[in-house]
Amino acid sequence: KEKHKILHQLLQNSTSPVDL
Amino acid sequence: PEAADLRALSRLLYDSYVKHFPLTKAKARAILSGKTGDSSPFIIHDMKSLMDGEQLINCKQIPGRDQHPSPAVLADNYGVVAGHPAPGYGGLGGLSQGPIGLSHQGRTEGLELRFFYSCQSRSAEAVREVTEFAKSIPGFVDLDLNDQVTLLKYGVIEVLTLRMAPLMNKDGTLMSYGQIFMTREFLKSLRKPFCQMLEPKFEFSVKFNTLELDDSDLALFLAVVILSGDRPGLLNVRPIERLQETVLHSLELHLKVNHPDSMQLFAKLLQKMTDLRQIVTDHVHLIQLLDKTEVDMCLHPLLQEILKDLY
């Protein structure tokens, strides 16, 4: 999970703007 | 009843595609063929025009859309729209910093590098858009979360490559929500290995565009690509294959109705998936080469995640 932290975030947060 | 379900699925995926990828093929082709009235794109064909077009490259807003878009509503081409560098990724300058204070050679080299960083930022944003599209595929979010990650990790660059095709013709590509047209010759004139990055996409796109797919066809095809059950490391393949089978049926039916005179279009389209995998493999190797050879190379954290241990 740590290896793909941002992908996990993108998949789980539908609206929050992930820090890109 | 089954055909009605399949049509409903194609409609749902098309609506999601339009929602998440605002620069559709229809819009891109209108721009490329000069059918948008007086709003023709700014042409970048050399370093000077690249410098002149920096402001446009930097623009994150879709022309003619909401003047105050939310951070989540950004356009969709896999081009050059600078994002905000994430922590640990900045430091080398976004396009907004400008080339001031560099020698002429430094200016153009700096510009090349900044252009590359802009491409990365835009790609990261495009990954987010593809993720949202994937989540809208019925059944996708019910898959094992680790498998969702794997499908995105392996599928997203293929999808981004497909998303580029409508923006390209044999002479160049649209970027920045269609505000810029960058010539193929200019991209080929960049120093190695930057000049090698887009040329295979042009070759693929010119051939792919002869299939004359429209946005509704593409929406289904993107979903098929995402739902590939043979990605390495998948934990539970069967539900993915079942989902893909349904979308494949929907695509086959849709192509028959939408392209009644195009023989074997479904088969021709499926064959493109092999080409796509090769393009992505070569692309990943180029990025890995850049990572090793460029002193100032800094990969976007999201792209690092995707590229790590990928092929």
Side-chain angles (χ1 to χ4, degrees):
Chain A
K1 194 172 175 179
E2 274 305 301
K3 265 174 75 180
H4 298 106
K5 197 174 155 191
I6 308 176
L7 279 175
H8 271 95
Q9 269 181 284
L10 286 173
L11 281 163
Q12 292 184 298
N13 305 323
S14 58
T15 51
S16 80
V18 173
D19 189 7
L20 292 173
Chain B
E2 194 197 352
D5 287 347
L6 295 175
R7 277 197 299 273
L9 177 61
S10 68
R11 182 73 219 178
L12 184 151
L13 290 175
Y14 173 67
D15 289 345
S16 168
Y17 170 100
V18 171
K19 182 181 171 189
H20 297 296
F21 307 125
L23 185 57
T24 59
K25 177 169 182 174
K27 286 182 198 165
R29 295 333 268 188
I31 296 169
L32 287 171
S33 57
K35 290 176 186 160
T36 47
D38 31 84
S39 58
S40 49
F42 180 83
I43 297 172
I44 293 179
H45 60 98
D46 57 12
M47 283 296 179
K48 185 182 179 306
S49 50
L50 179 59
M51 279 192 260
D52 292 343
E54 271 193 329
Q55 272 194 324
L56 283 174
I57 290 173
N58 232 353
C59 179
K60 294 188 82 173
Q61 200 165 306
I62 307 161
R65 286 173 69 96
D66 184 357
Q67 294 301 298
H68 303 285
S70 74
V73 183
L74 295 165
D76 74 310
N77 64 32
Y78 174 34
V80 271
V81 178
H84 301 291
Y89 168 65
L92 289 160
L95 275 159
S96 57
Q97 290 190 358
I100 298 160
L102 296 169
S103 66
H104 178 72
Q105 194 183 3
R107 278 164 76 114
T108 54
E109 282 184 6
L111 207 63
E112 245 169 12
L113 204 58
R114 288 204 305 279
F115 172 59
F116 178 70
Y117 285 119
S118 296
C119 288
Q120 281 201 68
S121 292
R122 176 60 197 131
S123 300
E125 175 56 28
V127 170
R128 191 194 59 74
E129 292 161 0
V130 174
T131 306
E132 291 304 313
F133 175 75
K135 283 156 68 176
S136 75
I137 302 170
F140 183 87
V141 293
D142 303 322
L143 297 171
D144 184 296
L145 184 59
N146 292 301
D147 283 349
Q148 293 180 41
V149 169
T150 302
L151 292 178
L152 279 175
K153 182 181 173 79
Y154 283 89
V156 77
I157 307 179
E158 292 178 18
V159 170
L160 295 186
T161 303
L162 283 170
R163 294 280 308 120
M164 291 178 86
L167 314 181
M168 291 182 153
N169 62 24
K170 67 176 174 49
D171 299 318
T173 183
L174 288 175
M175 292 171 168
S176 301
Y177 321 125
Q179 291 186 100
I180 287 172
F181 181 80
M182 191 169 282
T183 68
R184 188 174 177 178
E185 282 305 311
F186 173 61
L187 286 159
K188 275 165 83 171
S189 75
L190 299 175
R191 68 183 168 89
K192 272 189 175 180
F194 298 106
C195 60
Q196 298 165 304
M197 299 193 84
L198 278 183
E199 193 51 26
K201 283 75 173 177
F202 277 110
E203 286 168 14
F204 171 81
S205 294
V206 168
K207 282 186 273 177
F208 187 78
N209 288 340
T210 63
L211 297 180
E212 298 187 322
L213 301 182
D214 67 18
D215 291 299
S216 61
D217 309 321
L218 288 167
L220 285 160
F221 187 51
L222 296 187
V224 167
V225 169
I226 291 168
L227 296 169
S228 295
D230 60 348
R231 304 297 191 190
L234 285 174
L235 303 171
N236 202 356
V237 170
R238 196 63 205 118
I240 298 165
E241 286 178 339
R242 274 201 293 270
L243 288 182
Q244 194 194 40
E245 274 166 30
T246 308
V247 184
L248 277 168
H249 284 144
S250 181
L251 176 62
E252 188 175 20
L253 178 73
H254 186 76
L255 292 177
K256 275 183 186 158
V257 174
N258 206 24
H259 303 266
D261 302 321
S262 189
M263 296 297 289
Q264 301 299 324
L265 182 57
F266 182 60
K268 285 177 191 167
L269 190 49
L270 295 191
Q271 285 169 11
K272 295 293 177 190
M273 291 171 83
T274 316
D275 300 341
L276 267 179
R277 291 202 179 188
Q278 189 57 50
I279 285 174
V280 170
T281 308
D282 295 346
H283 183 80
V284 171
H285 290 159
L286 267 180
I287 301 279
Q288 286 164 346
L289 177 73
L290 268 174
D291 207 17
K292 278 188 194 142
T293 56
E294 292 290 315
V295 179
D296 293 330
M297 181 65 183
C298 188
L299 267 179
H300 190 289
L302 176 56
L303 302 181
Q304 270 182 42
E305 266 190 27
I306 292 167
L307 293 170
K308 193 169 167 50
D309 306 323
L310 182 82
Y311 303 126

